[in-house]
Amino acid sequence: MTDATPDAAPRAATFTTHSPATGDPLAEYPVDGPEEVARAVVRARRVQSEWAALSADRRRERLLRWKRALASELDTVARTIAAETGKPVGDAELEVVLTLEHLGWAARNADRVLRRRRVRTGLFTVHQRASLVHRPLGVVGVIGPWNYPCYTPMGSVGYALAAGNAVVLKPSELTPGTGVLLAGLFDEAVPAHAGLLTTVTGAAATGEALARSGVDKLAFTGSPGTARTVMAVCAESLTPFLAECGGKDAVIVTADADLDAAADAVVWGALSNAGQTCAGVERVYAVREIHAALCDRVVRRAGALRPGADADAHYGPMTLPGQLETVARQVTAAVSAGARAALGGPGSVRAPYVAPVVLTGVPEDTAAMTQETFGPVVAVNAVADVDEAVARANDSRYALGAAVFCGSRRTGAAIAARLDAGAVSVNSVLGFAAVPALPFGGSRDSGFGRIHGAEGLRAFTAVQSTTVQRFAPPVALTSFEVPAAARRRAVRLARTLHLRH
């Protein structure tokens, strides 16, 4: 944890993080068990009451102060991300910049989105004044991932804080330093509310302890399998649960699309961060007449990229060592099933790196098309027309993000509307990720619930509905004192009105 209370028991267990590129040790962190997690939640709940009592303007000012602290320490945060994940520092810097955009939006828009608002009443409740308000939940638990250890958890952390909650963050055991740094910078920027954001560190057992700790909601990012396990724990106490569980995002390319722009976007969406992006490009469906031309462009661009640990590398190593086996297994099985490796192949996996792989003609029932690869691999398949492309894109256990490349923006938007994905970009990839006002999330094995935008703020609140009686009604239907004849007249009137309208 980032804070130490006087009554905290000494910890014996620790774990060490390592560089994904070199294997060298980076830092040592405590393994926080149920007692440490419980203390963090208790302290957060104590601090949250004061935070929730602040005016919206004062909370905004404090969150913007934290945002400025993050911006001031951007280099430090980016270097920590790069060291823990292996991604280039430039990519880590972009991750922090996107985080700042979202934190600023959440801080500035929370009052507008969550303030009390009047609700119109009906004919039989005209004597009531109705309103609703979004109230903080209390303490929100966040279990973050390792691929974007700043941007992704902050989609829950920043919005939950802006909504008036406290947060206990459990970062991935691969990237705990980023989470510790985020909480430390908050305490330094807003010392009067130190402990409002607390980081606990450890592996799965720490996450389970957080799920059992009595938090008022748990936001999780990770695999569908782990989400089911954590959700089962939350179900025991009916703790609300928000899950973002990855994707198998598809790109549709029509005959009149700008192929150079499409190829450039596909390569970046598939290979940036070594392909370790939940909403990254994994499947491409191009209409047959332009398929070969698109493949040529994708192969040429992807072939110019080089993974490595030096400053000139385009992307870094696989952060999770076990993912190397997943990539190798999927690529090998696809080629064995008849796919053609237009670039790279099974030999592209050279630990800890994976060189770019472009597959074509991949059978739709292979793991490379049905399971999340989470590596620098992209499959580019030909389809007869847009209808087939839409059908294949939707035929997936995942429904997170997607993209459409089309010569007509209007037609592209119409195609996007036919896709089941929770977020779609037209003539770009991941365009939605940089727009803080847009909600993000998916369905099926991609999870449920939304972060970011107004929906993301509301996700960390409880709605309270209120009525205030303005005057006594002519007929008090909610009273045993109402004569039966008056009640019958009211019912006849209501029936007549509803038959007419």
Side-chain angles (χ1 to χ4, degrees):
M1 294 187 296
T2 57
D3 62 296
T5 53
D7 59 341
R11 299 185 186 94
T14 61
F15 67 100
T16 303
T17 56
H18 296 83
S19 164
T22 66
D24 294 338
L26 295 175
E28 192 173 81
Y29 297 92
V31 176
D32 287 320
E35 292 184 1
E36 291 81 24
V37 172
R39 277 194 290 269
V41 173
V42 168
R43 183 187 182 196
R45 199 172 297 285
R46 185 169 61 246
V47 179
Q48 187 271 337
S49 61
E50 299 174 357
W51 179 253
L54 293 176
S55 68
D57 285 345
R58 295 179 72 184
R59 280 203 299 269
R60 179 177 63 244
E61 182 274 328
R62 285 155 175 76
L63 287 174
L64 292 178
R65 196 189 307 167
W66 181 36
K67 180 180 72 73
R68 289 191 294 271
L70 286 170
S72 177
E73 296 296 329
L74 189 150
D75 292 342
T76 300
V77 178
R79 284 196 301 271
T80 302
I81 294 170
E84 292 188 318
T85 64
K87 68 178 64 177
V89 172
D91 287 5
E93 290 172 342
L94 177 59
E95 179 179 344
V96 180
V97 168
L98 289 175
T99 301
L100 295 172
E101 286 288 311
H102 278 272
L103 179 56
W105 190 93
R108 293 187 175 96
N109 288 275
D111 180 44
R112 175 185 61 81
V113 171
L114 303 177
R115 69 177 56 156
R116 182 180 297 274
R117 71 175 188 269
R118 293 279 296 275
V119 178
R120 293 185 63 179
T121 58
L123 176 64
F124 287 89
T125 52
V126 68
H127 61 292
Q128 300 278 10
R129 178 182 291 111
S131 65
L132 66 83
V133 66
H134 293 269
R135 306 170 66 185
L137 292 170
V139 179
V140 173
V142 177
I143 297 179
W146 48 261
N147 58 331
Y148 292 95
C150 182
Y151 171 77
T152 299
M154 282 291 286
S156 297
V157 172
Y159 287 75
L161 292 174
N165 301 284
V167 174
V168 177
L169 168 65
K170 204 295 282 187
S172 166
E173 62 271 25
L174 299 180
T175 57
T178 303
V180 169
L181 185 56
L182 290 174
L185 288 172
F186 182 92
D187 286 352
E188 291 176 11
V190 194
H193 301 280
L196 189 72
L197 169 60
T198 300
T199 298
V200 293
T201 55
T206 304
E208 180 179 351
L210 184 58
R212 296 185 184 280
S213 66
V215 292
D216 299 289
K217 187 167 188 174
L218 189 70
F220 168 87
T221 303
S223 70
T226 304
R228 292 183 179 96
T229 300
V230 178
M231 186 165 60
V233 174
C234 290
E236 296 175 9
S237 56
L238 293 182
T239 299
F241 187 68
L242 186 156
E244 195 271 275
C245 305
K248 191 71 182 175
D249 288 13
V251 173
I252 293 175
V253 185
T254 67
D256 62 347
D258 181 334
L259 298 187
D260 288 319
D264 182 63
V266 164
V267 170
W268 186 86
L271 305 183
S272 63
N273 199 32
Q276 300 168 123
T277 302
C278 58
V281 175
E282 298 208 1
R283 300 177 293 153
V284 179
Y285 295 109
V287 294
R288 201 171 306 282
E289 53 263 47
I290 54 91
H291 175 260
L294 177 67
C295 283
D296 289 344
R297 287 167 168 79
V298 169
V299 168
R300 186 170 65 250
R301 285 170 168 78
L305 303 184
R306 181 181 58 82
D310 56 278
D312 295 329
H314 294 93
Y315 61 85
M318 302 299 287
T319 305
L320 184 64
Q323 201 64 23
L324 289 157
E325 181 183 347
T326 298
V327 173
R329 183 176 63 249
Q330 289 192 13
V331 172
T332 299
V335 172
S336 298
R340 181 175 73 90
L343 177 67
S348 297
V349 179
R350 298 184 291 273
Y353 301 99
V354 178
V357 178
V358 179
L359 303 174
T360 64
V362 186
E364 291 291 324
D365 61 350
T366 60
M369 299 301 287
T370 62
Q371 299 175 15
E372 190 173 37
T373 305
F374 229 56
V377 179
V378 63
V380 187
N381 279 358
V383 291
D385 51 31
V386 168
D387 289 341
E388 183 183 356
V390 170
R392 292 194 181 280
N394 286 338
D395 185 19
S396 173
R397 291 161 44 201
Y398 296 94
L400 185 57
V404 177
F405 282 83
C406 183
S408 164
R409 291 193 296 271
R410 178 175 296 180
T411 302
I415 296 170
R418 298 170 61 189
L419 296 172
D420 295 337
V424 186
S425 296
V426 177
N427 290 336
S428 71
V429 294
L430 291 168
F432 45 79
V435 182
L438 284 176
F440 178 73
S443 57
R444 303 173 189 163
D445 274 9
S446 290
F448 52 86
R450 294 294 184 269
I451 58 173
H452 301 167
E455 285 81 358
L457 285 167
R458 296 186 186 110
F460 297 107
T461 64
V463 179
Q464 183 183 65
S465 303
T466 305
T467 57
V468 177
Q469 183 166 295
R470 301 162 55 218
F471 54 83
V475 179
L477 297 179
T478 55
S479 171
F480 287 113
E481 301 299 320
V482 178
R487 188 182 301 276
R488 288 194 294 270
R489 285 195 299 271
V491 171
R492 286 197 299 271
L493 174 60
R495 181 184 183 187
T496 300
L497 290 174
H498 284 288
L499 285 172
R500 290 178 178 176
H501 300 284

